[in-house]
C-alpha cells in the first residue's frame, strides 16, 4: 500500500497501464472475434451482454498481468543488491476488498443476465408457432397449417415460438445470426423464442454432438416479408385436404 509519494506514483502508473491495457485488449477481442450479423431482436441483447463480459475479462486480465509484469520489471534484483525484500503479514482491507468486489460483480452480472434472459424468452400474443423435430441427422418443421417442411420459413418482425423435440438423441437448434440456442430432448418439448428482424437466408445447425453425421445436420432458414410468407403458406397448403388444414387464419393474422 502507498506509504510514500514514490509508492503512490507506482500505483498511478500501474492504474494508467491497466486502463490502457483494458481498452486495447477489449478492442482486440472484438476484432479477432467478429460476431455474425444481428438477424434477430434478441441478438442485440445477447451481443450487449457479450460486450460487457469482454470488457470485464479485459480488465481482470490486465489487473493481474500488468501488476505482475510491473512488479517483476521495476522491482527486479539489481547488481550487488543482497538485501531481503520487505515482509508482509496479511492486509485486512485488501482481503475484504478482493472478496467483496468480485462478489458484487457476480451479483450485478447475474442480475443483468437474468433480465436479459427474461427479455429474450418473453412471450407475445401473436407468435408464429412451428413444431421442430430433430433426428439423426436432419430437421423437420411442422406448421400448424398442417404441412411439413424441410426448410424453416419465417415472416420478418414477428415473434416466433419453436416447440421442439427429438426422436433419438439430444440435438440443439442454433442459428448463429439469431444468437439464441436451445436443446431438443427426446421425450420432452422445449421452447425457443426469437424475433427475426433481417430478411435473408440462414442455416440452422445442430450444436450438440449427436453422432457420426452431426456435422451435416443443417437445414435452410428463410426470413421473408409477411406477404411472401402468406404466399408460401398458401402454396404449401394448396394441395392439402381441407379437413386437415387447421388454424391457418389464426396463425397468419
Ligand atoms: Cu448434432
Amino acid at each position: 500500500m502507498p506509504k510514500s509519494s514514490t509508492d503512490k506514483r507506482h500505483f498511478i502508473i500501474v492504474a494508467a497501464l491497466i486502463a490502457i491495457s483494458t481498452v486495447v485488449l477489449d478492442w482486440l477481442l472484438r476484432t479477432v472475434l467478429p460476431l455474425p450479423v444481428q438477424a434477430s431482436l434478441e441478438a442485440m441483447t445477447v451481443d450487449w451482454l457479450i460486450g460487457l463480459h469482454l470488457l470485464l475479462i479485459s480488465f481482470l486480465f490486465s489487473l493481474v498481468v500488468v501488476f505482475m509484469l510491473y512488479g517483476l520489471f521495476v522491482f527486479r534484483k539489481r547488481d550487488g543488491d543482497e538485501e531481503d525484500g520487505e515482509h508482509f503479514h496479511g492486509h485486512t482491507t485488501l482481503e475484504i476488498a478482493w472478496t467483496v468486489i468480485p462478489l458484487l460483480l457476480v451479483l450485478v452480472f447475474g442480475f443483468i443476465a437474468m433480465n436479459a434472459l427474461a427479455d429474450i424468452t418473453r412471450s407475445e400474443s401473436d407468435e408464429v408457432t412451428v413444431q421442430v423435430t430433430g433426428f439423426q441427422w436432419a430437421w423437420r418443421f411442422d406448421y400448424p397449417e398442417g404441412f411439413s417442411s424441410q426448410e424453416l420459413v419465417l415472416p420478418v418482425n414477428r415473434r416466433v415460438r419453436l416447440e421442439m423435440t427429438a426422436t433419438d438423441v439430444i440435438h440443439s437448434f442454433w442459428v448463429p445470426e439469431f444468437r439464441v440456442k436451445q436443446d431438443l430432448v427426446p421425450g420432452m418439448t422445449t421452447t425457443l423464442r426469437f424475433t427475426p428482424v433481417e430478411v435473408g437466408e440462414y442455416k440452422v445447425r445442430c450444436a450438440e454432438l449427436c453422432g457420426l453425421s452431426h456435422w451435416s445436420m443443417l437445414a435452410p432458414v428463410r426470413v421473408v416479408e409477411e406477404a411472401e410468407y402468406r404466399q408460401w403458406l398458401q402454396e404449401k397448403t394448396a394441395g392439402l385436404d381441407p379437413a386437415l388444414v387447421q388454424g391457418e387464419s389464426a396463425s397468419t393474422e
Side-chain angles (χ1 to χ4, degrees), residues 137 170-172 206-211 214 217:
W137 288 279
I170 297 175
H171 301 279
S172 187
C206 181
E208 180 65 61
L209 187 58
C210 60
H214 162 66
M217 196 168 157

Side-chain angles (χ1 to χ4, degrees), residues 4-25:
S4 67
S5 63
T6 336
D7 283 351
K8 210 171 254 170
R9 204 173 56 99
H10 285 305
F11 272 92
I12 291 166
I13 293 170
V14 168
L17 288 175
I18 288 172
I20 293 165
S21 166
T22 301
V23 172
V24 171
L25 264 178

Side-chain angles (χ1 to χ4, degrees), residues 191-205:
T191 305
L192 182 65
R193 286 185 167 90
F194 54 88
T195 309
V197 291
E198 286 282 335
V199 168
E201 293 187 8
Y202 310 98
K203 263 191 182 119
V204 51
R205 54 201 72 219

Side-chain angles (χ1 to χ4, degrees), residues 87-100:
H87 287 272
F88 287 97
H89 220 89
H91 193 296
T92 313
T93 316
L94 199 59
E95 282 163 23
I96 290 172
W98 74 44
T99 307
V100 172

